[in-house]
Amino acid sequence: MATATAALKRMYIDGKWCAADNGRTLGVINPATEEVIEEIAYGGRAEVRRAIEAAHRAMPGWMKQSSWDRAKVLKKTAELMRERADSMARTLTMEQGKPVAEAKAEILHSADTFEWFGEEGKRAYGDVIPHSAPGKRYITLKHPVGVVGAISPWNFPITLQSRKIAPALAVGCTVVSKPASQTPLSLIQLFECMIEAGAPAGVVNLVMGPAQEIAEELLENPLCRKISFTGSTEVGKQLMRGAAEQVKRISLELGGHAPFIVFPDADPEVVAKAAVVGKFRNNGQVCIAPSRFYVHKDVEKKFAEAAVEFARNLKLGNGLDAGVEVGPMFEKKALEQTINLVEDAKKNGAKILTGGSRSKRFERGYFFEPTVLTGLSPKTKMLTEEPFAPVMPLLDFSRLDEVIQAANNTRYGLAAYVFTNDLTVAWRMGEGLEAGIIGINDPVPATPQSPFGGMKESGLGRELGHEGLEAYLETKAVSFKLRDS
Ligand code: NAP
């Protein structure tokens, strides 16, 4: 905990930027330099309560606006994000570590999310239901769920808040956002865009502070009607238990352990390139990152050679520097966890094909070498626990049914990837895999108009797509009894 400085970044409650009531602040650290880059206001329950109350007061006015008027605010937000993408991307890189080109792609993808939900909000249709008695008529009306608490992690600070804020605002909900404590700065810039785009006071609120305290207020305050959470499965379960008390609506986007499956008819070198790009994007700190690589025995050797070559040539460095392809890991804890995972794999007989340790080229920063391993025993931790690290374990298989079983043998079910040119194999895999998002020959399957979310312990509900709008709506059945005439 540090003292306030001139650069203090504030919370945004009821249309005003504000410091924490007790003046408390927290330093945000650049993972490439280990230096504190900004001080942020670090509040507590009282500020969250005020934010919820402001959001509750703002909701009647916001939901009465037409979907077309709400869309204007969302689309203007998207426009401002695109105009400011370079400066927002630099902030994001400094607080999170990812290369600035990846950060810019995140801002632009999120701008698309705002634009798309602005339009989709105009299509929050109800139904007209055929009657079963002559004097009766039935319809459904869609109603915004209420004040939403939006909690997100540090790996995609803008993307993951946009997937909550944009659909919620589109249908007339109001929002209290809580970013990860170490990555609030780019979100502050997104808030500036929304405010300039015309979001009225109280419609969007930003709070920072100890997670548990903030979550307790969101869970216990009856004015907050929904929690949308992205983060670890363990915290997701805690929130689900807490939400039960008031039967509070909850959406959960949690951990994953995605299989990446290569069939022998796919070109092993082309696929190895896609695998390396997908794996080491954001240092493997991606919920849908491929993390178990099942390669058919016939192409295993060629795939491994190509993957090692591509991984070895990735340029590691400060994400702000030109040409850097892999930045530092997000924090010291993440670096230490990666070191432990690799040590555990080595103890269990794994052979390191490239990487395997903290990079010695940097005096400061949490840099780990992109790592490819083989010969892993099934009990190796990185095969059973979500690794969230730049490690690429290679495994082999020979039969389709065998690889489906291995791929599904996990408590997670978020994403899966299949590489084949055989349509029958692609269909069988699409139907057999237990995953909410499946990329067939596609290492980057997320887009605003398609649903995103997990099966099993990877989550509950979907973001994006029309399902992502539905997540902020209640359905009311309205029955009419007509006069006899
Ligand atoms: P985390 O520890 O669960 O933190 C995520 C967010 O929850 C942060 O804002 C954090 O705040 C807050 N939090 C922490 N403890 C909490 C508690 N007891 N009650 C309420 N909120 C709490 O997750 P992480 O390790 O930072 O993030 C990585 C995880 O997110 C991975 O498992 C990854 O797979 C998952 N993820 C899932 C998706 C998806 O769409 N399915 C997308 C991205 C990431 P503080 O920062 O203040 O601690």
Side-chain angles (χ1 to χ4, degrees):
M1 214 77 47
T3 51
T5 69
L8 175 67
K9 295 287 179 182
R10 292 165 184 269
M11 297 183 283
Y12 187 71
I13 299 173
D14 202 10
K16 293 181 201 75
W17 292 103
C18 57
D21 289 357
N22 61 7
R24 191 161 51 157
T25 68
L26 183 75
V28 174
I29 294 165
N30 181 340
T33 61
E34 300 180 44
E35 284 162 4
V36 172
I37 45 177
E38 298 263 15
E39 292 293 329
I40 56 155
Y42 202 62
R45 257 190 107 138
E47 292 89 334
V48 183
R49 191 171 311 125
R50 281 208 301 281
I52 294 172
E53 286 164 359
H56 179 69
R57 280 194 304 276
M59 203 174 139
W62 183 242
M63 70 183 266
K64 269 190 207 135
Q65 287 201 19
S66 76
S67 55
W68 289 70
D69 285 339
R70 290 195 296 264
K72 281 183 197 147
V73 175
L74 294 177
K75 293 203 291 186
K76 182 70 186 169
T77 300
E79 198 183 306
L80 293 170
M81 289 169 80
R82 290 179 186 126
E83 275 172 32
R84 298 171 190 182
D86 285 320
S87 108
M88 289 176 75
R90 280 182 70 79
T91 305
L92 177 46
T93 294
M94 285 172 70
E95 66 182 342
Q96 201 278 340
K98 66 183 69 175
V100 74
E102 273 183 42
K104 187 167 176 183
E106 175 169 350
I107 306 297
L108 296 177
H109 169 86
S110 305
D112 290 349
T113 301
F114 269 88
E115 180 177 329
W116 192 79
F117 275 113
E119 284 303 317
E120 193 65 2
K122 298 174 185 172
R123 288 179 274 279
Y125 304 134
D127 288 322
V128 178
I129 301 163
H131 65 76
S132 50
K136 297 265 248 170
R137 298 290 183 272
Y138 308 106
I139 61 163
T140 57
L141 292 178
K142 295 291 177 176
H143 189 94
V145 69
V147 174
V148 175
I151 307 177
S152 59
W154 46 264
N155 61 341
F156 288 90
I158 295 295
T159 296
L160 300 174
Q161 280 288 336
S162 300
R163 290 177 184 182
K164 304 177 191 316
I165 296 173
L169 295 195
V171 297
C173 295
T174 54
V175 177
V176 176
S177 284
K178 183 243 174 281
S181 293
Q182 281 303 314
T183 54
L185 301 175
S186 51
L187 189 63
I188 289 173
Q189 288 179 303
L190 169 56
F191 265 70
E192 287 166 359
C193 293
M194 289 190 286
I195 295 160
E196 272 183 59
V203 166
V204 282
N205 302 274
L206 174 65
V207 294
M208 279 107 63
Q212 183 104 25
E213 223 180 287
I214 292 181
E216 275 166 14
E217 183 63 29
L218 292 171
L219 286 167
E220 290 170 23
N221 191 324
L223 299 180
C224 172
R225 288 307 318 148
K226 169 160 183 142
I227 293 186
S228 179
F229 171 77
T230 302
S232 60
T233 295
E234 282 56 43
V235 172
K237 286 179 185 179
Q238 281 175 35
L239 291 172
M240 197 170 171
R241 281 190 284 270
E245 194 55 37
Q246 294 175 5
V247 196
K248 199 161 284 206
R249 303 294 178 265
I250 189 156
S251 294
L252 299 172
E253 292 287 344
L254 309 176
H257 207 327
F260 185 105
I261 302 162
V262 187
F263 282 90
D265 64 305
D267 181 328
E269 285 173 20
V270 172
V271 181
K273 174 105 192 187
V276 165
V277 170
K279 173 71 253 182
F280 298 108
R281 180 167 73 106
N282 203 8
N283 251 315
Q285 303 167 124
V286 181
C287 56
I288 59 168
S291 48
R292 293 172 288 146
F293 293 79
Y294 296 99
V295 185
H296 193 276
K297 283 197 162 94
D298 291 355
V299 288
E300 187 195 356
K301 188 162 176 287
K302 275 194 178 154
F303 179 92
E305 283 167 3
V308 167
E309 189 61 20
F310 289 130
R312 194 173 276 154
N313 286 321
L314 287 170
K315 187 173 174 199
L316 198 60
N318 185 326
L320 291 179
D321 293 343
V324 163
E325 293 165 293
V326 181
M329 297 204 67
F330 167 64
E331 60 183 353
K332 194 165 176 218
K333 194 170 98 195
L335 180 70
E336 286 166 358
Q337 276 167 359
T338 304
I339 293 168
N340 289 339
L341 279 180
V342 172
E343 287 311 310
D344 169 77
K346 286 201 300 207
K347 258 189 241 138
N348 280 293
K351 185 175 160 208
I352 307 289
L353 299 179
T354 185
S357 55
R358 183 176 189 164
S359 174
K360 296 179 184 64
R361 288 198 293 118
F362 303 90
E363 276 176 26
R364 310 201 73 173
Y366 312 125
F367 294 95
F368 194 85
E369 291 170 348
T371 297
V372 183
L373 330 81
T374 187
L376 292 93
S377 93
K379 63 177 182 187
T380 310
K381 266 195 210 147
M382 73 172 71
L383 296 181
T384 54
E385 291 174 13
E386 181 186 34
F388 234 56
V391 293
M392 185 174 191
L394 303 185
L395 306 154
D396 62 28
F397 75 97
S398 45
R399 290 198 333 271
L400 182 142
D401 56 342
E402 168 206 347
V403 77
I404 290 183
Q405 197 183 20
N408 289 343
N409 186 21
T410 164
R411 67 184 175 126
Y412 297 110
L414 187 56
Y417 303 87
V418 178
F419 286 78
T420 179
N421 295 308
D422 182 327
L423 200 53
T424 302
V425 170
W427 265 109
R428 294 230 186 284
M429 296 304 288
E431 289 174 353
L433 289 169
E434 294 170 347
I437 304 149
I438 301 178
I440 307 275
N441 298 327
D442 182 4
V444 193
T447 179
Q449 66 274 27
S450 275
F452 187 103
M455 294 170 66
K456 302 197 284 190
E457 293 189 28
S458 284
L460 196 65
R462 295 290 180 271
E463 294 196 312
L464 303 180
H466 68 83
E467 292 88 343
L469 195 76
E470 199 61 38
Y472 296 92
L473 290 167
E474 296 279 10
T475 298
K476 298 197 285 196
V478 183
S479 170
F480 293 79
K481 173 85 174 72
L482 305 185
R483 264 198 322 267
D484 295 335
S485 59

